[in-house]
Amino acid sequence: MTEGKYIIALDQGTTSSRAVLFDTSGELLGIEQKEFTQIFPQAGWVEHDPEEIWETQLDVLKKLVRDHVADPKEIAAIGITNQRETTVVWDKNTGKPVYNAIVWQDTRTSNRQCRTLRKAGLEPYIRENTGLIIDSYFSGTKIMWILENVDGARGKADNGDLLFGTIDTWLVWKLTEGKVHATDYSNASRTLLFNIKTLQWDDHLLEGLAIPRNMLPEAKPSAADFGEFSYRNTRIPITGIAGDQQAALFGQQCFSPGMVKNTYGTGCFMLMNIGKTMRLSENNLLTTIGVGLADDISYAIEGSIFNAGAAVQWLRDGLKIIKSAPESKKLAEETKGNDEIFVVPAFAGLGAPYWDENARGAIFGLTRDTSYKHIVKATLESMAYQTKDVIIAIEKDAGKELLTLKVDGGAVANDYLMQFQADILQVPVERPEIIESTAQGAAYLAGIGCGLWKKEDLEKFRKLNAVFEPEMPAERAEKLYSRWKKAVERTMNWIDEDEAED
Ligand code: ADP
């Protein structure tokens, strides 16, 4: 049992690094956040600089401690949660990355590397043993790309000089000054290399992808000893890690089978706890490790939507028709006239439940009175429609209808979106007081890992901020949704297969 007063969660997201301070009764006391550079070297490629990720993460951690904590000894533990799948490969002798981090959204491997795996007949094995599908989204083909394309990487890897990590692993390695090379089961389960039945790296897949086993971190339960961070003469233990979506599932306390949460960040990710037995989705969803405590592994079915809040960023940075994300609410509420504009933000293909890498975005239903405000509104609504697409698949897998939806993530601050979500689903949408469920989950794991809390203690921490009840007539919701389906269909297979082969 620790004497510390605080837990710090490091929340390394796709667009920003955050550090969040919680006290021992689960109250959120402070947040620091810093955006970092998004690198787009070519169409479909997305990279981050791993050093910048580390620097921004360390900066926000230090600032949080400086502003809120009198003595670092008061920090009982650190938990980490992170953008998943994003891949870093570094030289263990110099500590330098051999290439930028290849981000989960990056589709560069969809042709060559993914096709190689399909041709090798690995698809059924991957599905059965990792719960995933062959897609550029996951880390495995990104590692392949680095080994195939970065000068000298293959030789160094074969020599045992290179290490691979998802972002949690990279941060742990940096925080512990190179002493610990580890990950947790939830992050491991997104690599395409981890057997989620045996909880081991899978030799058959490592061979299939030509990735040396010694590049891989040790995979551990999500609440465990991940080493220590030395700061101002204090050694602070790192005792919790989970990928962002699994951390949110834990933060939202979806501990029983059938419980579902949806996180609205850069992408939208819906996860349903399916209990202790690994089961494959029959409706184009993924199976993944939920949160793996040492004696309590639970599996989850997941629907991943690639572009949600990212489409709002596109309104801001690409189209420049909003100045800030929150402004989108006001503009959506100001629209008049044509109410049936549909934005399908398939910027880099579509994720669940469509899985079409060759889809591209489009706007439908334009009329002469369509204004930029309608496009803003339709972009917000696209998050709600995509969520409904995934809920329908999840309900089929669960064999029952969802009664409420628990939400979290940056974009749920938008009341227009939340109301529209309740309307289109025709079920209540529950927004918790702390919408940083991701950080909350990492803090809970760290608290459990350092002996401060037990899972049962967490229930009293959950507080609701708002419940959005459906107001739209069901018929109207149905009509809008069927239009949406039509719009999605028209964006699919936009890129011809032979074009995609180039
Ligand atoms: P991530 O962890 O993926 O970086 P966050 O949970 O921080 O994402 O959410 C940020 C995303 O949410 C951004 O893509 C942003 O465009 C979107 N967002 C933030 N606030 C709002 C808002 N008020 N309305 C709509 N979208 C928002």
Side-chain angles (χ1 to χ4, degrees):
M1 183 67 185
T2 162
E3 298 303 317
K5 291 203 241 177
Y6 305 116
I7 302 272
I8 290 183
L10 304 182
D11 179 1
Q12 206 303 305
T14 309
T15 53
S16 69
S17 299
R18 271 182 282 229
V20 188
L21 187 72
F22 293 88
D23 67 12
T24 50
S25 51
E27 292 291 329
L28 191 157
L29 302 180
I31 301 190
E32 285 301 330
Q33 172 166 357
K34 213 167 183 176
E35 287 204 11
F36 56 87
T37 318
Q38 305 291 314
I39 305 166
F40 305 112
Q42 305 185 16
W45 292 30
V46 188
E47 297 178 0
H48 295 155
D49 174 356
E51 299 289 5
E52 192 186 356
I53 285 190
W54 163 240
E55 281 154 20
T56 51
Q57 194 61 75
L58 186 62
D59 277 0
V60 290
L61 169 59
K62 286 185 175 168
K63 184 155 194 316
L64 185 79
V65 175
R66 243 190 345 259
D67 291 355
H68 297 273
V69 180
D71 182 343
K73 290 196 176 54
E74 294 170 342
I75 304 167
I78 291 175
I80 298 176
T81 179
N82 55 291
Q83 49 167 324
R84 304 170 305 169
E85 298 101 11
T86 297
T87 296
V88 189
V89 173
W90 68 97
D91 186 320
K92 71 177 180 194
N93 307 308
T94 63
K96 297 272 172 269
V98 299
Y99 191 75
N100 273 338
I102 303 186
V103 178
W104 57 274
Q105 297 152 312
D106 187 299
T107 55
R108 79 184 65 185
T109 63
S110 62
N111 296 323
R112 210 177 119 68
Q113 287 76 18
C114 288
R115 204 160 288 182
T116 307
L117 301 186
R118 281 192 202 105
K119 277 198 189 132
L122 278 171
E123 185 104 62
Y125 186 89
I126 284 177
R127 188 96 189 99
E128 277 293 318
N129 294 285
T130 70
L132 308 177
I133 57 168
I134 296 177
D135 191 275
S136 56
Y137 176 27
F138 308 107
S139 316
T141 60
K142 300 183 197 290
I143 307 174
M144 286 171 82
W145 189 93
I146 290 175
L147 296 185
E148 287 170 16
N149 291 281
V150 174
D151 266 357
R154 168 52 65 194
K156 278 190 184 167
D158 290 341
N159 235 357
D161 290 330
L162 297 189
L163 299 178
F164 152 75
T166 39
I167 295 293
D168 55 312
T169 304
W170 169 244
L171 291 179
V172 163
W173 200 80
K174 294 298 270 185
L175 286 164
T176 62
E177 294 168 38
K179 290 191 192 74
V180 178
H181 183 227
T183 189
D184 87 302
Y185 295 151
S186 70
N187 275 293
S189 75
R190 314 296 297 182
T191 57
L192 217 61
L193 304 171
F194 195 66
N195 190 311
I196 63 171
K197 293 174 173 164
T198 62
L199 305 179
Q200 304 285 337
W201 298 112
D202 188 299
D203 284 323
H204 183 57
L205 290 172
L206 289 174
E207 198 179 312
L209 276 74
I211 296 172
R213 197 185 173 98
N214 58 19
M215 284 181 76
L216 301 180
E218 182 186 356
K220 295 180 163 203
S222 304
D225 174 6
F226 292 97
E228 291 172 328
F229 170 55
S230 290
Y231 180 61
R232 287 184 12 209
N233 300 321
T234 308
R235 297 216 295 251
I236 309 168
I238 305 163
T239 54
I241 293 185
D244 51 10
Q245 302 312 323
Q246 283 91 337
L249 189 69
F250 201 71
Q252 289 263 29
Q253 304 199 22
C254 294
F255 298 147
S256 314
M259 291 177 88
V260 176
K261 71 87 201 176
N262 195 29
T263 302
Y264 301 70
T266 305
C268 242
F269 297 87
M270 195 179 306
L271 268 73
M272 172 172 70
N273 183 332
I274 58 165
K276 294 182 190 313
T277 315
M278 138 81 167
R279 177 158 63 82
L280 290 179
S281 163
E282 287 165 13
N283 297 284
N284 285 331
L285 303 173
L286 307 170
T287 303
T288 200
I289 306 233
V291 158
L293 300 180
D295 50 357
D296 185 12
I297 304 289
S298 64
Y299 291 90
I301 281 189
E302 166 171 337
S304 328
I305 297 164
F306 296 146
N307 284 297
V312 179
Q313 283 169 17
W314 167 72
L315 296 177
R316 188 192 63 184
D317 305 337
L319 294 189
K320 300 194 192 321
I321 56 177
I322 56 172
K323 290 199 187 66
S324 69
E327 195 193 349
S328 61
K329 169 182 177 283
K330 182 172 149 278
L331 296 178
E333 286 170 347
E334 283 172 7
T335 55
K336 296 194 183 67
N338 185 351
D339 207 12
E340 299 193 10
I341 306 292
F342 295 84
V343 169
V344 183
F347 300 133
L350 287 165
Y354 304 103
W355 296 109
D356 181 358
E357 289 171 341
N358 296 325
R360 286 298 177 269
I363 304 177
F364 295 91
L366 297 175
T367 50
R368 186 60 184 82
D369 67 341
T370 303
S371 74
Y372 71 101
K373 292 180 184 175
H374 290 99
I375 294 173
V376 171
K377 174 168 166 282
T379 303
L380 289 178
E381 292 172 354
S382 73
M383 289 195 240
Y385 289 122
Q386 293 186 94
T387 294
K388 181 161 171 111
D389 290 339
V390 172
I391 284 196
I392 290 173
I394 280 205
E395 284 178 336
K396 283 189 196 150
D397 273 329
K400 60 177 185 207
E401 285 185 6
L402 191 77
L403 299 177
T404 55
L405 181 67
K406 292 175 197 274
V407 299
D408 57 75
V412 305
N414 191 312
D415 285 0
Y416 177 81
L417 168 63
M418 291 297 98
Q419 184 56 49
F420 188 78
Q421 185 70 84
D423 286 341
I424 218 69
L425 291 176
Q426 297 283 300
V427 300
V429 169
E430 278 184 19
R431 183 169 65 191
E433 194 120 288
I434 299 181
I435 62 172
E436 306 284 340
S437 305
T438 305
Q440 198 176 25
Y444 289 170
L445 287 167
I448 292 174
C450 73
L452 181 66
W453 296 316
K454 294 201 185 58
K455 205 163 117 180
E456 304 73 66
D457 299 332
L458 304 176
E459 205 171 316
K460 57 180 182 291
F461 299 163
R462 183 170 166 81
K463 294 188 192 109
L464 279 188
N465 159 275
V467 178
F468 294 84
E469 298 285 346
E471 287 170 0
M472 184 185 281
E475 260 170 49
R476 172 88 185 132
E478 252 167 57
K479 176 168 174 246
L480 287 175
Y481 185 64
S482 65
R483 278 264 154 81
W484 161 260
K485 293 291 286 182
K486 225 157 122 180
V488 170
E489 249 165 56
R490 289 172 186 181
T491 66
M492 291 181 72
N493 293 308
W494 180 258
I495 307 282
D496 297 329
E497 269 298 306
D498 50 347
E499 232 179 298
E501 281 196 36
D502 294 339

